[in-house]
Each structure stands twice: as C-alpha cells, then as structure tokens.
Amino acid sequence: KQEVTQIPAALSVPEGENLVLNCSFTDSAIYNLQWFRQDPGKGLTSLLLIQSSQREQTSGRLNASLDKSSGRSTLYIAASQPGDSATYLCAVSSDSWGKLQFGAGTQVVVTP
Amino acid sequence: DGGITQSPKYLFRKEGQNVTLSCEQNLNHDAMYWYRQDPGQGLRLIYYSQIVNDFQKGDIAEGYSVSREKKESFPLTVTSAQKNPTAFYLCASSVGQGDNQPQHFGDGTRLSIL
C-alpha cells in the first residue's frame, strides 16, 4: 500500500528565505503527484500537479520536482512571504481513478 | 464562480443519530470524493464516485454511506455505526477518470459529538 511521508512536520523561516518542502512515497508506480496548500479551518487549494512522465512543474514562485525512482518530490517556494504561511500537503495518485494518498503535511510559518 | 459548496460548516451529532453532510459542485465534474481529516494527519479517502449512480468505497468507508443521484451532488451520511466521527470532512471533485487534472476542494464541514 502506498505510504506518503512529509518531513519536517513544521518549519519556520524568516521572510525572503527560500522554502524547501519534502515529500517521499513508497511505491514508484504513480499516476501523478499533487501539492496542495491548506489554510487553518479551510479546504485545500491545488498548487501544482506533476504527471508521472514529468520531472518538474513551475508556477510563479513555486517549483515542484519529481523523482519517481527514489520516491521523492520537492516543493520549492522562492523568496518566501508571510502570506505563504500555511500547511502544505503532498498527495499521490497511483491510478487514473483519482484516488489520492496524502502525507500529513508540513506546517510553514514565515516570520516578517 | 464555479466551485464546491459544503454545508453546514459546523455540525453536531448526538449519540445514535445519523447526520448528512452536503456537497454540491457546479464545475460540471464527473468525479467526486469524500475525505476525512484528523488533527495532525493527512486526508483519508472515505468514498468516491466517477459517475452518477455509481460509487466505490475508499480506505475508511465503515460507518459511512453516500449517494450520487445527480452529477452535481454527493451527500455523505455519517451513521451511528461510526464510533469516532469527530473530524473535519472535505469534499472534492475532478473532471473524471484519467483526466490528470487537480482535485478541487470545498471548505469542509467540522463534525463534533454532543
């Protein structure tokens, strides 16, 4: 069964620093990998989706890489801002039916 | 604006009571999903549906039931058989099977026991 792990569970950085968030998964046979943001008491907002055939995706200050052979994905957020404070969740889909296996998330605080 | 609406935002359940959580989407998506989130944990899949009048159990379906009579609606019933229902429930949708498109989420319903 696919297991998804996110380390660290929490991270605090000063404004302006680059953020590096890690996600690992146990089964490399994935369909896609998604990164989400969750604000307190809210639902999830999709940030990036990487298909299994892709190595990375970029959107603005966000860049996500995927290495299936090592079972890892990394989300980079450049020049962090206080508004980036949130919990970031990684999720893996192992087939085309869209069922996602989630990591527990990394809680990020960006201090002014 | 298109999106997913979950109601109510907060819900309280008494012992032995069934409660129903509403999820409506106007994105014209075929696939819909229900997840449960406990503090400090990731989301776990309860049920999913790829098409009207069809749905499948997820990883933690025991004590829950769903229906999919309309494309726009996917209500979740938390039955009295679910002994630990206190959690944050999230509904999501996506275009459909094989779409390789991100899932869209509602703002959730927080369920507590009275």
Side-chain angles (χ1 to χ4, degrees):
Chain A
K1 184 190 174 210
Q2 180 75 268
E3 291 184 7
V4 182
T5 304
Q6 292 184 250
I7 295 173
L11 185 60
S12 180
V13 298
E15 182 177 3
E17 259 195 30
N18 296 334
L19 278 164
V20 181
L21 306 177
N22 298 304
C23 172
S24 61
F25 48 93
T26 54
D27 187 347
S28 61
I30 66 170
Y31 189 72
N32 64 47
L33 184 144
Q34 301 183 40
W35 282 96
F36 295 90
R37 169 187 171 134
Q38 185 176 31
D39 293 295
K42 296 289 189 181
L44 278 61
T45 300
S46 175
L47 298 174
L48 291 168
L49 181 149
I50 311 176
Q51 298 179 26
S52 62
S53 59
Q54 298 174 324
R55 295 299 299 267
E56 67 175 352
Q57 276 287 349
T58 298
S59 176
R61 294 185 295 114
L62 276 60
N63 174 276
S65 65
L66 174 64
D67 184 343
K68 285 195 306 178
S69 61
S70 66
R72 293 185 182 184
S73 176
T74 302
L75 178 66
Y76 300 91
I77 303 178
S80 61
Q81 304 167 0
D84 294 328
S85 298
T87 296
Y88 292 83
L89 293 148
C90 165
V92 170
S93 179
S94 297
D95 57 38
S96 64
W97 294 99
K99 297 173 293 179
L100 293 175
Q101 291 289 336
F102 280 84
T106 295
Q107 185 175 13
V108 171
V109 174
V110 181
T111 54
Chain B
D1 268 347
I4 299 178
T5 301
Q6 290 188 242
S7 62
K9 191 172 176 65
Y10 299 97
L11 188 58
F12 298 91
R13 195 190 89 169
K14 293 180 182 178
E15 198 73 33
Q17 186 183 41
N18 294 349
V19 293
T20 297
L21 285 61
S22 171
C23 177
E24 303 277 333
Q25 55 100 358
N26 61 3
L27 298 167
N28 199 33
H29 285 172
D30 284 324
M32 297 187 75
Y33 310 83
W34 273 107
Y35 295 93
R36 168 180 172 142
Q37 186 176 33
D38 293 283
Q41 297 188 33
L43 282 65
R44 291 181 290 168
L45 182 64
I46 305 173
Y47 268 98
Y48 63 103
S49 168
Q50 293 289 337
I51 198 168
V52 173
N53 292 323
D54 187 51
F55 48 83
Q56 305 295 329
K57 292 181 179 180
D59 296 324
I60 55 164
E62 186 173 350
Y64 301 97
S65 66
V66 293
S67 63
R68 186 85 187 276
E69 297 176 1
K70 297 187 300 182
K71 186 175 185 177
E72 305 78 23
S73 179
F74 191 39
L76 173 74
T77 296
V78 183
T79 75
S80 57
Q82 173 50 245
K83 297 307 178 188
N84 184 24
T86 298
F88 190 46
Y89 291 86
L90 288 157
C91 178
S93 71
S94 67
V95 173
Q97 184 195 0
D99 57 37
N100 245 328
Q101 296 293 317
Q103 289 187 14
H104 296 251
F105 282 78
D107 275 342
T109 292
R110 191 167 299 279
L111 176 61
S112 302
I113 298 298
L114 279 178

